[in-house]
Amino acid sequence: MPYQLLKKNLNGNLNLSSKELEKISSYFTSKEIKKKEFLLTQGSICKFEGFVVQGCFRVFSIDKNGNDNTLYFAAKDWWLMDIDSFMNQTPSELSIEALEDSKVLLIGREDKQELCNSLPIVEKLFKIMFQKAIVSWQRRLIRNHSLTAKERYLYFIKTYPDISLKLTDKQIAGYLGIRHEFLSKIKKTEK
Amino acid sequence: MPYQLLKKNLNGNLNLSSKELEKISSYFTSKEIKKKEFLLTQGSICKFEGFVVQGCFRVFSIDKNGNDNTLYFAAKDWWLMDIDSFMNQTPSELSIEALEDSKVLLIGREDKQELCNSLPIVEKLFKIMFQKAIVSWQRRLIRNHSLTAKERYLYFIKTYPDISLKLTDKQIAGYLGIRHEFLSKIKKTEK
DNA sequence: TTTTAGAGTTGAACTTGTTCAACTTTTTTT
DNA sequence: AAAAAAAGTTGAACAAGTTCAACTCTAAAA
């Protein structure tokens, strides 16, 4: 069942034969993470790429001033990793925390390389996934520049209604780039 | 010489044989663009991926309120495209404008596909380029959330001193996500 | 079940950034 | 070289978002 979700996700990016899907999935191992546990800690090296099967995660980084910046949340059917750290095996600038008991499928670096070598279409598959990711990062930047905090909040809960329900307002504020006190004030004026 | 720059850029992402570099470059065609001309107009379909050999471009989008959001500037040695429009052949949300007389190397969609098919390592090459792009978009988002406008401005001119010189303050303000009047006030207090 | 820690709310004072309008300076066009 | 069009500056009034502190309301731990 978890592998079924992965296959569906992969197939949504690039049409693959069931044999290819089978082979790709076989490289992933399942892992369960309890609420509040970390899948990755800032400063350590990211050894996996992960796909969320169940639960919810928060990907964030803490800067020198102690500010907690949430890059994104990842619930079921989302991918999860510190690309930079995984790619270059450098200390991660990001942390990944489970917000509830969760389940992920992980692929390690060597395994991914081996998979890419033996099945070249995987390279293309990830290329497409990364392309889509860039588009959404660009759009988020534009929204951050052109919308007010309130508009960004309304966009967020409308676009990710399921994820919003799992989050505290503090977490949402961290994602929007505002203080949680201000989010509280925003919500008062809502509708 | 322009192709030399392209080869060097490609090789910086992934080690390639000179034969591979030769083949890849051969798919690109050179194009000159005069200052103020557009390489891509919002609403039209992006038919190329471009590499800047000379000059400088601004990649931006105008939202419904008429706000001009600059996504990035691309000078010599930068890549240039609307990924979403190029990938899906949908109307572009972005415009690309030459800020000075410029020269680019372009590869069309079909050509790129053909190239990828005949030389699979190209898929990997672009995958790596896209990965790097994601990392820099993520970092920019974090900076936008954790730095003040002044800090972002100082970071920008320090990180891209060459590009900054080519830009007006209005253009820089558009990139930083602030009004140009405010940038003017920031600069007064600078040092 | 009680305690405790964390999440959410509110107000007042404050800082950052915007708006608009008038003006000066620089660049481009004729 | 003059005229026109942009780019940059400044000030005053304003709006958006922050800070801090006090408080209330959960939710989780003991």
Side-chain angles (χ1 to χ4, degrees):
Chain A
M1 193 61 187
Y3 286 93
Q4 209 43 50
L5 188 66
L6 173 64
K7 288 178 187 172
K8 201 177 152 205
N9 179 285
L10 296 171
N11 215 48
N13 285 297
L14 186 59
N15 243 45
L16 296 159
S17 71
S18 57
K19 214 169 166 182
E20 287 165 335
L21 286 171
E22 199 48 58
K23 169 144 194 180
I24 298 172
S25 330
S26 74
Y27 276 81
F28 286 77
T29 57
S30 183
K31 176 166 185 174
E32 310 215 342
I33 309 267
K34 287 251 166 295
K35 181 171 178 171
K36 292 193 180 169
E37 282 182 3
F38 281 66
L39 193 54
L40 177 67
T41 321
Q42 205 158 349
S44 66
I45 290 171
C46 183
K47 301 207 180 320
F48 61 85
E49 264 176 51
F51 175 75
V52 183
V53 169
Q54 201 175 91
C56 189
F57 292 86
R58 185 169 79 94
V59 181
F60 65 101
S61 92
I62 300 200
D63 62 28
K64 36 249 125 214
N65 310 323
N67 285 341
D68 177 319
N69 293 109
T70 296
L71 268 182
Y72 60 96
F73 303 105
K76 196 165 85 169
D77 207 32
W78 284 68
W79 289 85
L80 203 53
M81 78 198 86
D82 180 333
I83 294 181
D84 187 37
S85 175
F86 182 76
M87 184 170 55
N88 306 118
Q89 297 289 287
T90 50
S92 171
E93 296 176 11
L94 307 178
S95 294
I96 303 181
E97 174 197 13
L99 300 178
E100 46 185 67
D101 293 357
S102 303
K103 198 188 276 182
V104 285
L105 296 176
L106 301 180
I107 185 171
R109 205 175 126 83
E110 286 77 15
D111 285 342
K112 193 184 170 193
Q113 259 155 20
E114 194 190 306
L115 173 60
C116 285
N117 290 337
S118 67
L119 197 61
I121 202 175
V122 172
E123 211 76 77
K124 184 173 184 182
L125 172 67
F126 278 95
K127 189 196 74 173
I128 292 174
M129 288 173 38
F130 289 137
Q131 279 181 317
K132 290 186 181 179
I134 293 176
V135 173
S136 61
W137 286 105
Q138 291 183 341
R139 292 193 175 142
R140 182 156 164 213
L141 183 104
I142 291 178
R143 286 195 304 276
N144 280 343
H145 279 181
S146 63
L147 303 183
T148 64
K150 180 172 180 179
E151 290 167 329
R152 263 144 51 213
Y153 170 67
L154 294 174
Y155 177 89
F156 179 75
I157 57 173
K158 189 179 159 197
T159 309
Y160 309 105
D162 41 345
I163 296 186
S164 326
L165 289 175
K166 302 181 174 212
L167 304 173
T168 65
D169 283 357
K170 234 172 179 169
Q171 290 163 345
I172 294 178
Y175 173 90
L176 297 174
I178 59 175
R179 301 280 126 195
H180 74 280
E181 294 96 329
F182 188 54
L183 177 52
S184 176
K185 287 163 193 172
I186 282 173
K187 292 181 79 175
K188 261 182 69 181
T189 71
E190 194 185 342
K191 178 75 324 86
Chain B
M1 194 59 185
Y3 286 93
Q4 209 42 49
L5 188 66
L6 173 63
K7 287 178 188 172
K8 200 176 152 206
N9 179 286
L10 296 171
N11 216 46
N13 286 298
L14 186 60
N15 242 46
L16 296 159
S17 72
S18 58
K19 214 168 167 184
E20 288 165 334
L21 286 170
E22 199 48 58
K23 170 144 195 177
I24 298 172
S25 329
S26 75
Y27 276 81
F28 285 78
T29 58
S30 182
K31 176 166 185 174
E32 308 216 343
I33 309 265
K34 286 250 166 298
K35 182 170 179 171
K36 290 191 181 170
E37 282 182 2
F38 282 67
L39 192 56
L40 177 67
T41 322
Q42 205 158 350
S44 67
I45 290 171
C46 183
K47 302 207 180 320
F48 60 84
E49 267 176 48
F51 174 75
V52 182
V53 169
Q54 201 174 91
C56 189
F57 293 86
R58 184 170 79 94
V59 181
F60 65 103
S61 93
I62 300 200
D63 61 29
K64 36 252 127 214
N65 309 324
N67 286 340
D68 176 319
N69 293 109
T70 296
L71 267 181
Y72 60 96
F73 302 105
K76 194 165 87 168
D77 207 34
W78 284 68
W79 289 85
L80 204 52
M81 76 200 88
D82 180 334
I83 294 181
D84 188 36
S85 175
F86 182 77
M87 183 169 56
N88 307 119
Q89 295 290 287
T90 50
S92 173
E93 296 176 12
L94 306 178
S95 294
I96 301 181
E97 174 198 13
L99 299 179
E100 46 184 69
D101 293 356
S102 304
K103 197 187 281 183
V104 285
L105 296 176
L106 301 179
I107 185 170
R109 206 174 123 83
E110 287 77 15
D111 286 341
K112 192 184 169 192
Q113 260 155 21
E114 194 189 308
L115 174 59
C116 285
N117 291 336
S118 67
L119 198 59
I121 202 173
V122 172
E123 212 75 78
K124 185 173 182 180
L125 173 67
F126 279 95
K127 190 196 74 174
I128 292 174
M129 287 172 40
F130 289 138
Q131 280 181 317
K132 290 186 181 176
I134 292 177
V135 173
S136 61
W137 285 106
Q138 290 183 343
R139 291 194 176 142
R140 181 155 165 216
L141 182 106
I142 290 180
R143 285 195 303 276
N144 281 343
H145 279 179
S146 62
L147 303 183
T148 64
K150 180 171 178 181
E151 290 168 329
R152 263 143 53 214
Y153 169 67
L154 294 175
Y155 177 89
F156 179 75
I157 58 173
K158 188 179 161 195
T159 310
Y160 309 106
D162 41 346
I163 296 187
S164 327
L165 289 175
K166 303 180 173 214
L167 303 173
T168 65
D169 283 357
K170 236 174 178 167
Q171 290 162 344
I172 294 178
Y175 173 90
L176 297 174
I178 59 175
R179 302 280 127 196
H180 72 280
E181 295 95 329
F182 188 54
L183 177 53
S184 178
K185 288 164 192 173
I186 282 173
K187 291 180 78 175
K188 262 183 69 181
T189 71
E190 194 185 343
K191 177 72 335 73

